[in-house]
Amino acid sequence: VQYRTVLYAASSREGGMSDYVLGKPFDPVLDTHVNDVTIDMHGNTIHPQITPLRNGTRISYAAEDWTPGWAVVNIGKEKKYIAVNPDIMESNFATLKNTEVVKKVNDLLYNHSIVDVSQSGQAEIDKAIGTAGYGKDVWYWFLWMGLVALILESIISRSYKV
């Protein structure tokens, strides 16, 4: 679950990463003209086929024996990381048991406070609810201040309008 999430989050062009889905030929187009490209995948160095194009270079490799992970495309001294993902239909959609779910998300979830109502008095319950609701009141004050600032800014900017 975490592996798939990290690959999905990191596989964006803006983040300097691309993705490749297994079962298709590996043929990204590089935006530069190069003569020597290597691909490092699971400790193996691969020399792909290089095809010059008008707007860059296409590198091609069959990639039939790849397993999910990271492919590092070495373009001279520059490295480009590509996430190698299985097709979404090859994912395991089996239901997890409750204990397995707790193990996988234990570090991600945090209970801020738990009040045992059965062993608490009314005063302690009221105090816990009041403490939990305090942040909501502060949020409303900031929201109102923001709206007032927006209205004031609109009124003031109209007076300076040419």
Side-chain angles (χ1 to χ4, degrees):
V1 175
Q2 291 173 353
Y3 169 78
R4 176 69 102 171
T5 304
V6 169
L7 283 179
Y8 180 77
S11 297
S12 68
R13 302 212 185 275
E14 291 81 15
M17 301 210 44
S18 300
D19 62 349
Y20 160 72
V21 178
L22 291 172
K24 299 177 183 176
F26 180 77
D27 60 350
V29 175
L30 306 175
D31 56 356
T32 58
H33 294 283
V34 295
N35 294 325
D36 186 32
V37 175
T38 60
I39 303 170
D40 292 333
M41 183 67 181
H42 298 300
N44 298 327
T45 301
I46 301 163
H47 296 279
Q49 179 182 357
I50 299 171
T51 307
L53 302 173
R54 180 175 42 92
N55 58 347
T57 306
R58 178 185 307 271
I59 57 174
S60 304
Y61 181 69
E64 295 174 0
D65 56 345
W66 282 4
T67 57
W70 304 107
V72 182
V73 179
N74 299 306
I75 310 163
K77 293 183 180 180
E78 181 186 350
K79 292 185 178 190
K80 182 174 181 174
Y81 296 90
I82 298 178
V84 177
N85 298 317
D87 190 279
I88 190 66
M89 296 310 293
E90 294 179 15
S91 297
N92 184 3
F93 293 110
T95 305
L96 296 175
K97 296 178 184 172
N98 286 340
T99 55
E100 293 172 330
V101 172
V102 170
K103 284 181 190 176
K104 291 188 181 291
V105 297
N106 193 23
D107 294 335
L108 302 175
L109 298 178
Y110 174 73
N111 292 324
H112 294 283
S113 63
I114 298 174
V115 178
D116 186 5
V117 180
S118 64
Q119 299 177 2
S120 301
Q122 186 65 34
E124 189 176 335
I125 294 171
D126 290 341
K127 182 180 175 185
I129 292 173
T131 303
Y134 178 72
K136 202 182 259 188
D137 292 339
V138 173
W139 171 250
Y140 287 133
W141 278 108
F142 279 115
L143 185 64
W144 281 111
M145 286 189 296
L147 288 173
V148 168
L150 178 66
I151 292 169
L152 284 174
E153 189 268 337
S154 296
I155 292 170
I156 292 171
S157 67
R158 280 188 156 225
S159 65
Y160 288 106
K161 193 173 184 179
V162 177

